[in-house]
Amino acid sequence: QVQLAESGGALVQAGGSLRLSCAASGSIVSISAMGWYRQAPGNQRELVAVISSGGSTNYAYADSVKGRFTISRDNAKNTVYLQMNTLKVEDTAVYYCNLKAPRWYGGRDYWGQGTQVTVSS
């Protein structure tokens, strides 16, 4: 019912920029909050950024990426983006797109397959 496909991961130098995309399909995409998570080897999966569904948009970012990363969504394209600037080596991780269904739809989480971001020093 819901499918998420991340793209845009790459090898970049520290200080560089990268834009991740998450193409979402499914009837509930437009009414669901979405976000980006990441997981580095040896670390737990952590929240990077979340964005609410249409209307008055709410955002939340991990402290480690505030001021550097920006999450946005294009509802017409059912796509969520993560603009990553001033990348640091510590940003290296597999980045996962997430969709959180509304509670009245069950509230389950859907995940993409992940895209690798590697930041070199």
Side-chain angles (χ1 to χ4, degrees):
Q1 192 75 69
V2 174
Q3 288 189 296
L4 308 173
E6 305 96 330
S7 62
L11 171 64
V12 298
Q13 293 183 355
S17 298
L18 202 60
R19 191 187 198 190
L20 305 183
S21 298
C22 174
S25 63
S27 61
I28 66 170
V29 172
S30 63
I31 61 171
S32 301
M34 298 187 68
W36 289 93
Y37 289 71
R38 68 186 182 187
Q39 186 168 23
N43 294 342
Q44 297 182 19
R45 184 173 297 188
E46 64 174 349
L47 172 70
V48 176
V50 293
I51 187 169
S52 65
S53 58
S56 296
T57 305
N58 296 311
Y59 308 88
Y61 295 93
D63 288 340
S64 60
V65 307
K66 287 181 179 177
R68 299 188 298 119
F69 290 11
T70 303
I71 188 170
S72 62
R73 68 191 296 170
D74 185 333
N75 291 322
K77 298 180 179 179
N78 279 351
T79 301
V80 176
Y81 305 95
L82 184 68
Q83 179 66 46
M84 305 183 294
N85 298 325
T86 318
L87 283 162
K88 304 175 180 179
V89 173
E90 64 200 73
D91 295 318
T92 296
V94 176
Y95 284 70
Y96 297 92
C97 182
N98 166 265
L99 180 150
K100 179 73 171 181
R103 290 192 177 277
W104 58 91
Y105 269 75
R108 76 158 287 176
D109 287 286
Y110 296 87
W111 300 93
Q113 65 178 349
T115 185
Q116 177 72 48
V117 173
T118 302
V119 184
S120 63
S121 61

